[in-house]
Amino acid sequence: MSHPRWLRNIRPYGAPAEDLLIENGKFTQRRPASNTPLAATDIDGQNQLFTAPLVESHVHLDKTLYGQPWRPNSAGPTLKDYISNERRVLREVKAPIAERAGALLENCIARGSLTMRCHVDIDPEFGLRHVEAMQQLRERYNDLIDLQLVVFPQTGLISRPGTAELMREAMALGVENVGGLDPCGIDNDPIAQLDFVFKLASEFQRGVDIHLHDKGELGLWQIARIADYTERFNLQNRVMISHAYCLGMLPWSQVKPVAERLAALGISLMSSAPADCAVPPFLSLRGTGVNVCLGSDGIRDAWSPMGNGDMLERAMLLAFRFDLGKDDELAAAFEAATVNGARALGVEGYGFDIGKPADFLLMPVETLGEAVVARPVRQVYRGGELIASGGRLLGSRL
């Protein structure tokens, strides 16, 4: 049991300065900032911006090449070409998942992400190796980050015999979410894929997270079917659609009725705010009540050499993509990288309030808007203890 200590002179989300009491890793009291001298056990917040931690809602840790020697990108041009190229690269890379994924995970923690959802490849070639490696990695860092897993049938589910059985085994191992991928574009059998995904999620009472790259009206039709299945299997607030490029390709008059359904069913959307394709219209969806969150997707892997795991930068990329410049718009981008992600992942206890875990960031900026624009170096606290500063985790576990 830890001794009580005050976090002094911090500005929650840019509000007037306060002091917060931390006891046993939780916030237990708040008061206006005091002018009394700091006690030896106090944390001096130095009038910095105080926020809840960042949330990485979609990443592929098991496939990263982070920390490895530079490798020229050889991907493309089609989605299936990307997948086959990735398989070739992963066969050639000698470093184990624990080394590559661990290095990236430590970097993400150091930049302030303390909640994360990781998609993990599963197919007859890999078997359960990636799942087991990620579960071991999660155990190693479980005191620093809350890490959810999704089984991801990258090479096809219905079209790849043996994958469905492996996904069921992964559920039995405790994986939290059932994944899917382009029910039309990859499996060419959307109803069969969605039937399997939602029945498996319902049987094990898990969440669903489906990659949807299919474009235009074909993509929109699949989103409507995902909504149908969500309602049929009573999985409201437990379903995510990742990417959903189609929503940015069609007139808003056509998208809006589907968006209203997503909002009513609590189906979240994840975007990485990519540069190379259409992006779901952030402000319009937000105005309709759709929960839109952010993820890095692949970071320095066989798909792309880009990415650094900083969710503040991802919020900036969202703002840059949609020309969000007003303070309230920049704050909305910050929410997409924080509270919206926590809601999408069903995280309990997230945020800033009495009785909640003392997990937080301190940043030397004035407002949420400045945080998104400047992406400052930040201090990262878990349970009231400093775990990262200056972009580095205090005590590597690699």
Side-chain angles (χ1 to χ4, degrees):
M1 184 174 294
S2 60
H3 294 291
R5 61 193 311 207
W6 283 95
L7 170 61
R8 300 282 300 277
N9 194 27
I10 49 92
R11 293 177 298 104
Y13 296 89
E18 293 187 21
D19 298 337
L20 300 172
L21 184 63
I22 300 171
E23 297 181 273
N24 299 319
K26 295 185 177 182
F27 295 119
T28 60
Q29 189 177 331
R30 59 192 297 185
R31 70 188 185 194
S34 170
N35 292 322
T36 59
L38 289 170
T41 57
D42 288 348
I43 302 170
D44 186 359
Q46 299 179 324
N47 203 40
Q48 294 187 84
L49 183 74
F50 164 102
T51 74
L54 300 165
V55 177
E56 168 63 85
S57 298
H58 183 119
V59 70
H60 296 265
L61 293 176
D62 62 320
K63 301 190 290 190
T64 187
L65 305 176
Y66 192 85
Q68 300 302 300
W70 180 260
R71 186 183 186 107
N73 184 267
S74 55
T78 69
L79 178 61
K80 291 185 178 180
D81 289 333
Y82 270 88
I83 293 172
S84 61
N85 176 71
E86 176 188 73
R87 286 301 187 268
R88 179 182 62 79
V89 169
L90 290 177
R91 292 186 199 104
E92 294 173 358
V93 172
K94 303 302 181 186
I97 291 174
E99 178 182 327
R100 296 180 285 106
L104 179 53
L105 186 62
E106 290 197 0
N107 178 69
C108 293
I109 295 169
R111 293 170 185 263
S113 290
L114 300 187
T115 300
M116 177 180 288
R117 175 174 284 185
C118 175
H119 294 255
V120 186
D121 273 25
I122 190 167
D123 63 28
E125 178 185 352
F126 291 154
L128 294 170
R129 292 198 306 275
H130 284 218
V131 171
E132 291 166 347
M134 288 306 305
Q135 287 183 319
Q136 291 167 10
L137 192 73
R138 172 166 60 186
E139 183 64 25
R140 189 190 311 166
Y141 292 93
N142 67 355
D143 60 325
L144 299 181
I145 187 168
D146 298 313
L147 177 60
Q148 292 185 8
L149 303 180
V150 185
V151 284
F152 178 46
Q154 173 78 85
T155 57
L157 198 170
I158 303 303
S159 60
R160 189 79 188 273
T163 301
E165 291 77 10
L166 288 166
M167 292 181 69
R168 177 175 292 279
E169 290 183 46
M171 292 297 103
L173 289 175
V175 173
E176 293 88 350
N177 300 280
V178 182
L181 170 65
D182 293 336
C184 288
I186 291 293
D187 273 341
N188 296 315
D189 195 340
I191 300 305
Q193 184 185 128
L194 294 176
D195 256 347
F196 178 83
V197 166
F198 277 87
K199 285 178 180 176
L200 188 63
S202 179
E203 178 185 345
F204 284 88
Q205 279 303 293
R206 307 291 162 81
V208 169
D209 195 329
I210 296 177
H211 285 60
L212 186 63
H213 309 97
D214 288 338
K215 299 175 181 179
E217 293 190 357
L218 179 63
L220 192 66
W221 179 86
Q222 290 173 85
I223 290 178
R225 301 293 75 72
I226 291 170
D228 291 343
Y229 274 91
T230 300
E231 190 168 15
R232 184 184 309 170
F233 285 91
N234 295 315
L235 286 173
Q236 291 88 340
N237 303 307
R238 301 191 68 180
V239 174
M240 177 109 82
I241 301 173
S242 292
H243 304 306
Y245 304 136
C246 62
L247 296 178
M249 303 177 73
L250 298 167
W252 177 244
S253 60
Q254 192 173 354
V255 170
K256 184 180 178 182
V258 176
E260 290 172 341
R261 250 194 112 191
L262 296 178
L265 293 168
I267 298 174
S268 293
L269 297 175
M270 189 293 305
S271 178
S272 61
D276 63 335
C277 57
V279 180
F282 175 61
L283 291 182
S284 296
L285 289 164
R286 183 174 183 267
T288 311
V290 179
N291 185 52
V292 182
C293 59
L294 288 171
S296 297
D297 199 17
I299 299 174
R300 300 188 192 179
D301 58 15
W303 291 68
S304 170
M306 299 297 182
N308 63 9
D310 186 350
M311 291 307 296
L312 268 186
E313 181 166 291
R314 195 59 50 177
M316 181 279 293
L317 291 172
L318 178 71
F320 187 81
R321 181 67 193 259
F322 287 104
D323 194 25
L324 308 180
K326 303 298 184 184
D327 275 9
D328 60 338
E329 295 173 339
L330 292 169
F334 182 87
E335 288 179 357
T338 52
V339 63
N340 292 7
R343 183 180 302 119
L345 272 56
V347 177
E348 296 181 1
Y350 178 84
F352 160 55
D353 207 348
I354 300 304
K356 291 188 176 180
D359 302 340
F360 58 92
L361 308 180
L362 295 179
M363 294 179 274
V365 292
E366 293 296 318
T367 67
L368 295 176
E370 187 181 359
V372 170
V373 170
R375 287 100 66 205
V377 172
R378 61 220 70 150
Q379 294 176 305
V380 185
Y381 285 80
R382 175 81 160 176
E385 300 294 332
L386 182 67
I387 64 169
S389 183
R392 293 186 177 277
L393 184 67
L394 303 180
S396 173
R397 299 181 183 180
L398 295 175

